[in-house]
């Protein structure tokens, strides 16, 4: 028996599956899937940002039991990242880690893989229209721009997942033009508005939009004759399914500015032609230190209502505008303040591009202001409702991003107050927070992986302070459940009832111990 652990995104799960499929095929043994690290997303299990991605394909879908996984791990061979020599190989094998993605690594079963990685259901109408357009093009070239998680995630941005610049793509096209004069370039991206604004090619270009699922988009890439990829397993694995015998697959190689220039200077027509004579893969360098400035929709929307908060609003805005996380917006509604708050806000936000400012001429309840801001202006995946004396720690949004990767409905960090010269401030006393964590976990039986009803009861009973802990809500969860602030209630009650309703309806509630919020002095 071969058991493979599926983890990561679609590209990684594809590579893990086909490597295990090859090994099981050569050994003539059974293949089973371990999806404990990438669970099926449904109502019974919490949403995971990374979940099982292969269920829509015609693969061998035979799930291993917990007992089988334990038995093979304890008694079989554990293989990580590279197929073992077949000679003398016996017994059960457990495969985990990242495996090769190129077609050459599974060439012996390439026909099987291409047959299995077809969809169980027909393409949706828009995807089918794109499929026909790609197949009818004389020379369809797939070009993939990956920005979303590479830009949003601070860890990925600081690591090897670089945003590939426009120059790289233009160089790849320049090489292809040496041989192909009938190209149509099909652009795939999670940030098409930026690509449309910044990419200008002198060949026919189509921007692929309106496709409903990642799986459909992935297969559309594989139908193109050539593939220009960023450093992304998603498009790399799509290119490996490309059945064109003369395909050229471009991938980036980080280099210094001088190394890139030397490469470009060397590309005479003859040298471009010789590159195209090489089989399969072409590595094109790009300047590692000259990555583009990406414009992408905000991940967080911070909705701030100001009610005569001149004494505190400067500190509040300083804390919100000086976050070390980049992709967020602040939407400020000055609720007809008469104490100079308007002037302070305008001075603080001058020149800031991620700020929306609205001043009301007559006072409304916070509930009205928050509802309007969330329904009309907010664009982020997660939204927070704030008042003019709230403050964040500088790394609050960075910490929240890593929690949000699992897509909880509600994120609610613990609050720990300690009196000091600056007033009451949450400082994250480790010993106290661990004690509170144990208390909360015991009382709610592992809340991060269940619903929020027990948490809501504790909120109503005063066991969780409703106003001293920052709350972040998944905006689509609020929309799907039609959760809004009740404008019939006064401000404090409207906020409390909103939080209770969100807790009760949350299928996935996450409590974080990170100190994120500085409490007002009063």
């Amino acid at each position: 028996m071969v058991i493979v652990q599926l983890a990561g995104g679609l590209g990684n799960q594809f590579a893990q599956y086909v490597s295990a499929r090859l090994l099981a095929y050569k050994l003539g043994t059974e293949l089973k899937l371990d999806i404990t690290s990438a669970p099926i997303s449904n109502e019974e299990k919490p949403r995971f940002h990374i979940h099982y991605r292969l269920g829509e394909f015609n693969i061998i879908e035979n799930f291993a039991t917990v007992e089988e996984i334990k038995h093979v791990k304890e008694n079989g061979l554990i293989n990580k990242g590279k197929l073992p020599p077949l000679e003398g190989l016996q017994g059960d094998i457990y495969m985990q880690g990242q495996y090769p993605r190129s077609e050459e690594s599974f060439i012996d079963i390439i026909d099987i893989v291409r047959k299995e990685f077809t969809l169980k259901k027909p393409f949706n109408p828009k995807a089918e229209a794109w499929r026909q357009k790609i197949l009818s093009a004389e020379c369809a070239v797939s070009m993939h721009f990956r920005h979303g998680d590479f830009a949003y995630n601070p860890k990925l941005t600081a690591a090897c997942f670089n945003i590939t610049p426009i120059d790289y793509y233009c160089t790849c096209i320049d090489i292809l033009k040496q041989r192909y004069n009938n190209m149509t370039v099909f652009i795939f991206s999670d940030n098409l508005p930026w690509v449309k604004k910044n990419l200008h090619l002198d060949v026919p270009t189509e921007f692929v939009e309106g496709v409903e699922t990642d799986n459909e988009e992935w297969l559309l890439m594989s139908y193109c004759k050539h593939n220009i990829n960023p450093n992304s397993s998603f498009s790399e694995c799509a290119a490996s399914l490309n059945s064109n015998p003369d395909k050229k697959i471009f991938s980036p190689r980080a280099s210094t500015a001088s190394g890139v220039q030397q490469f470009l200077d060397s590309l005479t027509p003859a040298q471009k032609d010789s590159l195209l004579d090489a089989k399969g893969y072409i590595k094109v360098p790009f300047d590692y230190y000259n990555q583009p400035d990406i414009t992408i929709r905000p991940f967080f929307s911070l909705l701030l209502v100001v009610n005569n908060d001149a004494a505190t609003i400067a500190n509040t805005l300083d804390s919100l505008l000086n976050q070390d996380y980049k992709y967020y917006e602040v939407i400020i509604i000055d609720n007809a303040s008469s104490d100079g708050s308007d002037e302070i806000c305008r001075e603080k936000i001058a020149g800031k591009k991620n700020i929306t400012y609205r001043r009301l001429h007559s006072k409304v309840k916070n509930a009205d202001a928050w509802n309007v801001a969330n329904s009309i202006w907010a664009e982020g995946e997660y939204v927070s409702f704030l008042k003019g004396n709230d403050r964040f720690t500088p790394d609050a949004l960075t910490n929240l991003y890593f929690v949000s990767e699992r897509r909880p409905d509600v994120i609610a960090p613990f609050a720990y107050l300690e009196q000091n010269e600056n007033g009451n401030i949450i400082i994250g006393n480790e010993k106290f927070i661990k004690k509170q964590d144990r208390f909360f976990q015991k009382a709610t039986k592992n809340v991060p992986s269940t619903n929020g009803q027990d948490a809501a009861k504790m909120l109503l009973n005063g066991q969780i302070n409703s106003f001293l802990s920052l709350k972040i809500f998944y905006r689509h969860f609020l929309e799907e459940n039609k959760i809004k602030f009740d404008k019939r209630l006064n401000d404090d009650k409207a906020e409390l009832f909103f939080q209770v309703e969100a807790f009760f309806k949350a299928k996935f509630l996450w409590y974080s111990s990170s100190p994120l919020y500085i409490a007002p002095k009063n």
Side-chain angles (χ1 to χ4, degrees):
M1 178 190 302
V2 173
I3 296 179
V4 60
Q5 180 188 57
L6 298 180
L10 175 58
N12 282 319
Q13 290 185 35
F14 167 85
Q16 291 154 358
Y17 173 84
V18 296
S19 296
R21 182 75 170 87
L22 174 63
L23 188 58
Y25 173 81
K26 291 197 169 185
L27 294 176
T29 190
E30 185 178 20
L31 171 63
K32 291 198 173 185
L33 312 180
D34 172 7
I35 61 169
T36 55
S37 296
I40 297 173
S41 181
N42 56 34
E43 291 187 358
E44 286 73 41
K45 295 184 180 180
R47 266 193 312 270
F48 273 64
H49 182 48
I50 301 297
H51 57 271
Y52 175 58
R53 300 295 303 274
L54 308 185
E56 295 180 19
F57 299 102
N58 291 297
I59 64 168
I60 297 175
E61 196 172 59
N62 191 6
F63 298 125
T65 65
V66 173
E67 293 75 18
E68 287 173 329
I69 294 169
K70 181 180 179 182
H71 174 78
V72 172
K73 278 186 173 182
E74 292 177 350
N75 301 286
L77 171 68
I78 295 181
N79 177 257
K80 296 184 179 182
K82 187 178 180 181
L83 293 180
L86 295 180
E87 187 176 350
L89 194 60
Q90 295 180 352
D92 297 326
I93 302 170
Y94 184 82
M95 301 175 66
Q96 63 183 141
Q98 294 190 5
Y99 283 84
R101 305 171 185 133
S102 65
E103 178 184 340
E104 287 77 7
S105 63
F106 53 91
I107 193 67
D108 292 346
I109 57 168
I110 185 63
D111 292 335
I112 294 174
V113 170
R114 286 181 178 142
K115 183 177 180 180
E116 290 184 354
F117 278 89
T118 54
L119 293 176
K120 295 176 181 177
K121 296 180 180 180
F123 274 78
N124 289 307
K126 286 187 177 180
E128 178 59 26
W130 280 114
R131 190 176 79 91
Q132 294 299 332
K133 203 166 193 176
I134 289 170
L135 294 177
S136 63
E138 285 188 68
C139 183
V141 178
S142 163
M143 183 179 283
H144 181 210
F145 290 76
R146 182 169 176 176
H147 289 176
D149 54 344
F150 283 6
Y152 282 139
N153 192 324
K155 287 184 178 178
L156 295 184
T157 304
C160 60
F161 296 93
N162 310 101
I163 303 297
T164 312
I166 293 287
D167 288 349
Y168 158 78
Y169 294 97
C170 293
T171 302
C172 296
I173 291 295
D174 194 34
I175 293 170
L176 283 172
K177 281 166 57 180
Q178 189 68 22
R179 182 167 298 178
Y180 305 101
N181 57 11
N182 55 352
M183 286 187 293
T184 302
V185 179
F186 291 85
I187 308 294
F188 300 83
S189 179
D190 51 9
N191 192 9
L192 277 175
W194 184 92
V195 182
K196 288 180 179 179
K197 181 179 178 180
N198 291 276
L199 178 69
H200 305 287
L201 300 176
D202 57 356
V203 297
T205 303
E206 298 276 0
F207 293 91
V208 179
E209 49 193 337
V211 178
E212 293 185 21
T213 70
D214 287 348
N215 292 347
E216 290 175 323
E217 192 169 84
W218 187 65
L219 287 177
L220 290 176
M221 291 182 190
S222 74
Y223 297 146
C224 295
K225 285 185 165 52
H226 309 288
N227 302 82
I228 301 174
N229 302 328
N231 181 21
S232 166
S233 60
F234 184 82
S235 48
E236 286 176 22
C237 292
S240 69
L241 287 177
N242 182 341
S243 59
N244 175 21
D246 297 320
K247 65 183 175 185
K248 305 302 172 189
I249 301 173
F250 293 85
S251 57
R253 185 187 77 233
S255 183
T256 62
S258 60
V260 174
Q261 193 57 50
Q262 288 172 7
F263 176 83
L264 295 175
D265 292 342
S266 71
L267 290 180
T268 64
Q271 287 167 323
K272 291 177 187 175
D273 201 54
S274 66
L275 276 175
L276 291 169
D277 286 335
K279 181 175 174 59
Y281 293 86
I282 301 172
K283 287 281 189 180
V284 175
F286 71 94
D287 185 357
Y288 179 91
Y289 297 102
N290 190 29
Q291 295 183 54
D293 185 18
I294 298 300
T295 303
I296 202 165
R297 64 179 294 178
F299 192 84
F300 295 103
S301 293
L302 310 180
L303 311 185
L304 172 64
V305 177
V306 181
N307 286 294
N308 287 327
D309 293 306
T312 58
I313 191 61
N315 286 336
T316 295
L317 289 174
D318 282 340
S319 77
L320 300 185
L321 299 177
N322 293 301
Q323 289 294 301
D324 57 14
Y325 188 79
K326 183 178 179 182
Y327 296 103
Y328 71 100
E329 64 178 349
V330 182
I331 298 171
I332 305 171
I333 298 181
D334 185 324
N335 197 3
S337 296
S338 58
D339 66 343
S341 295
D342 175 56
E343 291 79 4
I344 296 172
C345 287
R346 292 182 186 277
E347 181 181 350
K348 284 287 184 182
I349 68 175
K352 303 291 185 181
K353 295 182 179 180
N354 62 331
I355 308 295
T356 298
Y357 184 74
R358 296 287 185 273
R359 174 168 167 75
L360 306 181
H361 296 291
S362 57
K363 190 175 180 62
V364 300
K365 291 184 177 180
N366 283 356
D368 274 326
W370 277 327
N371 286 338
V372 169
N374 188 38
S375 62
I376 296 179
W377 297 306
E379 294 186 30
E381 293 276 324
Y382 279 84
V383 59
S384 182
F385 302 95
L386 305 171
K387 292 180 287 193
N389 58 2
D390 290 324
R391 289 166 63 195
F392 281 8
T393 58
D395 60 349
L397 295 184
T398 297
N399 290 329
L400 285 168
Y401 177 82
F402 294 127
V403 173
S404 70
E405 284 188 303
R406 293 197 173 192
R407 292 297 188 272
D409 296 317
V410 181
I411 307 172
F414 271 115
Y416 170 60
L417 300 182
E418 181 171 281
Q419 184 72 35
N420 61 22
E421 66 275 13
N422 296 319
N424 292 327
I425 183 169
I426 296 173
I427 61 171
N429 179 283
E430 185 176 3
K431 183 177 179 181
F432 177 85
I433 285 178
K434 284 183 177 179
K435 179 181 177 182
Q436 289 294 91
D437 275 346
R438 287 194 297 270
F439 162 75
F440 191 79
Q441 297 294 340
K442 182 178 179 180
T444 58
K445 298 180 181 178
N446 195 23
V447 156
S449 62
T450 65
N451 62 46
Q453 292 190 16
D454 288 331
K457 293 173 184 176
M458 296 180 73
L459 181 63
L460 287 172
N461 292 334
Q463 292 169 286
I464 305 173
N465 191 309
S466 62
F467 301 109
L468 295 179
S469 178
L470 170 70
K471 309 294 189 306
I472 297 285
F473 303 91
Y474 188 43
R475 195 159 62 89
H476 299 296
F477 155 73
L478 298 180
E479 292 172 355
E480 289 168 3
N481 289 276
K482 298 180 180 179
I483 300 174
K484 292 185 177 182
F485 291 91
D486 190 339
K487 61 184 181 182
R488 298 170 299 177
L489 303 175
N490 67 40
D491 288 344
D492 285 352
K493 282 189 177 180
E495 186 176 1
L496 176 60
F497 276 57
F498 181 94
Q499 293 167 2
V500 171
E501 183 179 7
F503 274 34
F504 264 103
K505 292 183 177 178
K507 291 185 173 69
F508 188 15
L509 175 71
W510 189 275
Y511 260 80
S512 169
S513 298
S514 300
L516 304 173
Y517 174 82
I518 300 173
K521 291 183 179 181
N522 59 350

